[in-house]
Amino acid sequence: MELDDFESWLPDAMLRDAPAGVAFLGTDLRFGWVNAALARLFGHDQAEFPGRPMAEVWPAKDTAKAEAALRQVLAEDRPATEASEDPASNRVYHWFPVHGPDGAQIGAGLIVVAEAVAAAPANGTVTDSPTGLSSEAALRRSEERYRALAQGGAQVVWVASPDGVMLEDSPEWRWITGQTEEEFLDGGWLDSIHPEDRDRVQRDWRESLRSGRIFDDRFRMRTKAGAYRHYDVRAVPIERDGKIAEWVGACTDVTSQREAEEMRGRLTEQLSAAALRTARLQQATSMLAEALDVEQVVQVITEVGRTAIGALRSAVALLDEERLRLRVVNPDGLAPVGPDSADARLTLDTPSVMTRAIATRRPVLIPSPEELRRQFEPDLAEGAGSDAIEDTGDERSWVGLPLLAAGAPLGALRFSFNRPRRITEEERVFLEALAGQCALAVERAEMYEREHNAAVTLQRSLLPDKLPDVPGLALDARYLPVTRNMEIGGDWYDVFWLPDRRLAVTVGDVMGKGLQAAAGMGRVRNALRALALTDPRPAAVLSGLDRLFSATELEEQVTTVSYLVIDPETGEGQAGNAGHLPTLLLTPGALPVLDQAEAGTPLGWPSPRRQHAFRLPPGSTAVFYSDGLVENRVRGLDAGLDELVSIAAGAPEDLQDAPGRLLQYLLDHMLAGHEQDDDVTVLVMHVPGHDSPGYDSDE
């Protein structure tokens, strides 16, 4: 007999964890199923029993007697009870026949319990009961034990007719729900099910009654105390003569299991949310490292915070220099209406979430419009406040956090939500940490902006407003500051007249970024002009700059200069180079070349300064530039110089007489496909040919 032919749901659902030993044996005297308790009684694993005869797993002293009892039960088709041969074990074996749906005998059941019983007859004869009980009494005791096991296992057992009407009372159900027997039998069991579960359970139960399939569901049951507990229910049809005779069901209280699952779910959700918020803070730290100005800082903070807590809007407002008014950095982060609206002029006296956060230097948490009105209406101006508070637009809850630096307020960070919402403690800690990051980043960005603006102003003031109008020469220049990090460098160019009507042309580069580089550039440029007006020879000017540099500049402040003195009428002059890049020379009928004159050392590095003859024939062009044109993160200096010569060689011929167009051509092709990470300075000087129409100043 295979276990599949037996109603396998019953031992699994009812007897698996029962304290008494329970087993089923087929007509072949082999075990079909045992529970864990029986396996423990005989010192074996539960999996060792199915398919094996008793002789292989039974104590030797009891095997013969047990097999005799089993054969007797199968032969006579009636229950029997026997005691163990070992009085110390105090075990009693209850055997009973098991029948299939068609009434045919399919095997025998066994329940083994330990209790005080009279010794079995010496001859080993099997009696109805060792205590003299009748078979009916023994069967009743077995049934009582079965029910006790069900009650002990938090089971609610019930029996229903084929059409779903309860056939028997269920004291367990009534004890839990407080219903009377009449209420239970009259279909009142549905009244105990939670309203949200009732329709589904009733629908599924009717479908099982119609199809004859096992009913397996879960619902909440109302107890007599008014609380709800979770139950799993399973009912199977019992068939006789090919028809469903009744349904037997069992409900198991799984409230503790569900509560544990829900607790694990909440903890998992909280841990996941905490991990996400930690990742968001790390993300904000990484992104803020690249945010240089206040607008970039605010964009990072508002985006990270809004997505982390599911906010509708987020805004940052900063105090002005007088610390009396608030300037909203991102007005689109405010609602169009309300006391914090985008159109409102916020002063520290204006009642709002942000101003209160600044005043108290503590987070302000407003979970609902009612709470907003309760807290702020008394402070609003008479006659104007009610309308502002009554209309909050699509915002229903708010958070304001002060931005503090060294204990002093810089402004406030604000979040709003489109539903009433209470901020949890974990969220509050996250938002305070985010506000701390925002304050530090804003303070750093404001300091950077002040320095950057000062450096830009200084640098722009030192560059020529326009190049001089020189007969016989065409000039054009371009300065492109790097935009990726908004830092300015020390590039400069200058063209000015000398007392002898010759022209001084110079391009230089002070290595470094920011105000220090710009200031160094200004000092070198002004000193070069002063020296050139005294003795314009390149060697003399560069030697004078060396002396000045050694006396006033830091050793690590590397500065390069290319300096040229040229007669505009002849195109001839003298040039000197202090560590700067070679000049690009373009001559009609020849390939572009780099000036081969030896470059000296940067300023401040002791070396004899030399000068060399420089000649720019009619139709020729000289291009002076900084390293930002030819060098970047992915292109080395040598490769960049080669590329510059190649691009110049491929320039259309009509650009030779148009310095402005040639300059733009070189910029477009040299910078294409590369991220500009340094300032770029280019100065083009062209001597028109004899047959040239001349330089068009509009180019």
Side-chain angles (χ1 to χ4, degrees):
M1 176 63 190
E2 293 295 329
L3 181 58
D4 291 343
D5 295 330
F6 182 60
E7 298 293 350
S8 59
W9 71 273
L10 191 59
D12 286 337
M14 303 290 294
L15 304 175
R16 181 184 60 191
D17 298 324
V22 183
F24 168 77
L25 297 94
T27 54
D28 57 356
L29 308 185
R30 293 179 180 269
F31 284 97
W33 179 88
V34 301
N35 70 348
L38 187 137
R40 288 194 300 270
L41 287 175
F42 298 105
H44 290 280
D45 187 81
Q46 191 175 0
E48 297 178 24
F49 283 79
R52 301 177 66 180
M54 285 193 297
E56 294 182 10
V57 292
W58 214 258
K61 57 182 175 297
D62 290 335
T63 299
K65 187 175 181 181
E67 287 184 350
L70 175 59
R71 294 179 187 278
Q72 179 178 334
V73 168
L74 293 175
E76 298 177 4
D77 196 20
R78 65 186 182 88
T81 301
E82 63 162 339
S84 172
E85 289 288 341
D86 182 8
S89 68
N90 204 27
R91 295 173 186 162
V92 177
Y93 301 84
H94 299 277
W95 299 91
F96 51 92
V98 177
H99 302 86
D102 57 357
Q105 190 181 76
I106 60 174
L110 169 64
I111 297 178
V112 182
V113 295
E115 60 182 17
V117 297
N123 60 7
T125 302
V126 177
T127 64
D128 286 348
S129 169
T131 58
L133 296 175
S134 65
S135 298
E136 291 78 5
L139 184 60
R140 185 171 59 253
R141 175 180 291 184
S142 177
E143 183 178 325
E144 291 171 352
R145 289 170 177 160
Y146 178 84
R147 183 170 293 277
L149 289 175
Q151 293 174 340
Q155 300 280 344
V156 177
V157 181
W158 47 271
V159 180
S161 67
D163 57 359
V165 177
M166 294 299 168
L167 295 177
E168 298 179 4
D169 182 25
S170 176
E172 297 86 3
W173 184 288
R174 293 192 295 101
W175 182 83
I176 295 172
T177 63
Q179 290 181 333
T180 64
E181 180 177 351
E182 291 76 14
E183 290 172 337
F184 172 73
L185 294 175
D186 194 27
W189 66 278
L190 278 172
D191 295 334
S192 299
I193 297 178
H194 194 287
E196 294 179 1
D197 301 336
R198 175 171 175 161
D199 290 344
R200 171 181 52 81
V201 172
Q202 189 173 27
R203 182 181 64 251
D204 294 347
W205 174 231
R206 287 175 177 172
E207 176 60 23
S208 293
L209 293 175
R210 185 193 66 80
S211 63
R213 290 194 296 268
I214 292 176
F215 176 61
D216 201 342
D217 216 321
R218 174 172 288 189
F219 57 78
R220 287 164 289 179
M221 183 195 300
R222 187 181 65 249
T223 68
K224 57 187 175 184
Y228 282 93
R229 298 188 66 82
H230 293 271
Y231 279 82
D232 281 351
V233 59
R234 183 177 176 87
V236 297
I238 304 299
E239 295 185 2
R240 297 190 185 97
D241 300 327
K243 295 182 179 180
I244 296 178
E246 60 186 12
W247 289 79
V248 179
C251 300
T252 305
D253 190 334
V254 293
T255 304
S256 298
Q257 175 185 341
R258 286 294 303 272
E259 290 176 348
E261 291 174 354
E262 291 174 358
M263 177 62 72
R264 283 195 297 270
R266 287 194 296 269
L267 290 176
T268 300
E269 183 179 349
Q270 292 174 2
L271 289 174
S272 298
L276 177 60
R277 287 191 286 269
T278 301
R280 291 289 190 182
L281 285 176
Q282 294 173 344
Q283 178 189 21
T285 301
S286 175
M287 296 173 68
L288 288 174
E290 300 181 2
L292 297 177
D293 62 10
V294 172
E295 284 73 16
Q296 291 175 347
V297 169
V298 169
Q299 182 180 1
V300 169
I301 290 296
T302 55
E303 178 65 22
V304 169
R306 188 172 62 252
T307 56
I309 63 173
L312 175 65
R313 296 185 182 91
S314 180
V316 172
L318 301 178
L319 289 168
D320 60 10
E321 293 183 358
E322 290 77 19
R323 306 182 71 79
L324 298 176
R325 295 183 178 275
L326 285 174
R327 175 181 67 89
V328 180
V329 180
N330 58 326
D332 59 336
L334 296 179
V337 296
D340 278 345
S341 66
D343 296 332
R345 291 174 55 85
L346 293 176
T347 68
L348 291 183
D349 295 330
T350 304
S352 75
V353 172
M354 291 188 288
T355 56
R356 179 163 294 183
I358 294 174
T360 62
R361 301 188 183 184
R362 297 175 60 85
V364 177
L365 310 177
I366 308 295
S368 66
E370 293 75 20
E371 181 65 17
L372 182 73
R373 286 189 286 271
R374 188 187 70 81
Q375 291 199 28
F376 287 100
E377 277 188 341
D379 298 332
L380 291 171
E382 184 177 356
S386 292
D387 293 340
I389 285 295
E390 286 297 333
D391 187 4
T392 60
D394 54 357
E395 296 183 345
R396 294 294 179 269
S397 54
W398 301 264
V399 175
L401 301 120
L403 302 180
L404 304 174
L410 299 177
L413 172 62
R414 177 188 189 270
F415 293 96
S416 63
F417 304 86
N418 59 3
R419 70 184 192 283
R421 190 181 193 282
R422 292 191 177 275
I423 298 299
T424 66
E425 179 64 19
E426 293 79 5
E427 289 174 331
R428 185 187 64 79
V429 172
F430 164 76
L431 291 175
E432 287 185 339
L434 190 66
Q437 283 191 328
C438 181
L440 292 175
V442 165
E443 186 179 37
R444 172 176 54 81
E446 288 183 333
M447 184 181 303
Y448 169 80
E449 286 182 348
R450 288 192 295 268
E451 178 180 327
H452 177 74
N453 292 336
V456 168
T457 302
L458 175 60
Q459 186 179 44
R460 292 296 185 187
S461 68
L462 294 174
L463 293 175
D465 292 334
K466 65 177 183 177
L467 296 175
D469 186 8
V470 182
L473 286 180
L475 297 167
D476 205 340
R478 196 73 52 81
Y479 168 70
L480 299 178
V482 63
T483 58
R484 181 180 59 85
N485 55 16
M486 294 184 61
E487 289 186 342
I488 65 167
D491 288 15
W492 91 91
Y493 64 89
D494 200 6
V495 180
F496 56 93
W497 287 105
L498 296 170
D500 58 4
R501 300 306 297 171
R502 287 187 297 172
L503 198 68
V505 180
T506 181
V507 174
D509 188 1
V510 177
M511 303 302 176
K513 301 292 181 185
L515 188 59
Q516 182 178 2
M521 176 266 285
R523 289 191 295 270
V524 173
R525 174 186 177 274
N526 291 335
L528 186 147
R529 276 199 170 213
L531 291 168
L533 293 175
T534 302
D535 184 352
R537 291 176 303 132
V541 170
L542 295 180
S543 296
L545 289 176
D546 278 336
R547 293 191 298 272
L548 173 69
F549 206 92
S550 299
T552 62
E553 304 298 323
L554 300 175
E555 292 183 0
E556 61 269 19
Q557 187 69 67
V558 178
T559 301
T560 64
V561 176
S562 177
Y563 173 67
L564 167 69
V565 176
I566 188 170
D567 185 345
E569 295 182 359
T570 64
E572 296 183 352
Q574 293 176 317
N577 192 320
H580 203 75
L581 298 174
T583 304
L584 176 67
L585 302 174
L586 295 86
T587 304
L591 292 175
V593 296
L594 297 174
D595 189 355
Q596 297 301 308
E598 180 180 356
T601 58
L603 295 181
W605 295 22
S607 65
R609 292 302 177 185
R610 297 183 175 86
Q611 60 190 38
H612 61 276
F614 184 89
R615 182 171 183 271
L616 203 61
S620 300
T621 303
V623 180
F624 305 87
Y625 52 93
S626 64
D627 58 353
L629 180 68
V630 295
E631 188 178 26
N632 54 48
R633 296 178 184 271
V634 297
R635 181 175 62 194
L637 181 59
D638 291 340
L641 291 173
D642 292 341
E643 188 172 345
L644 176 62
V645 173
S646 175
I647 288 175
E653 292 184 4
D654 62 344
L655 299 184
Q656 296 290 335
D657 295 327
R661 293 169 55 199
L662 175 64
L663 188 154
Q664 190 61 51
Y665 176 85
L666 295 177
L667 287 175
D668 291 343
H669 287 74
M670 288 299 296
L671 300 181
H674 299 287
E675 180 183 6
Q676 183 184 345
D677 51 18
D678 197 3
D679 295 347
V680 175
T681 299
V682 182
L683 189 151
V684 178
M685 182 172 61
H686 173 67
V687 178
H690 296 300
D691 56 350
S692 172
Y695 173 66
D696 184 359
S697 60
D698 293 332
E699 290 185 282

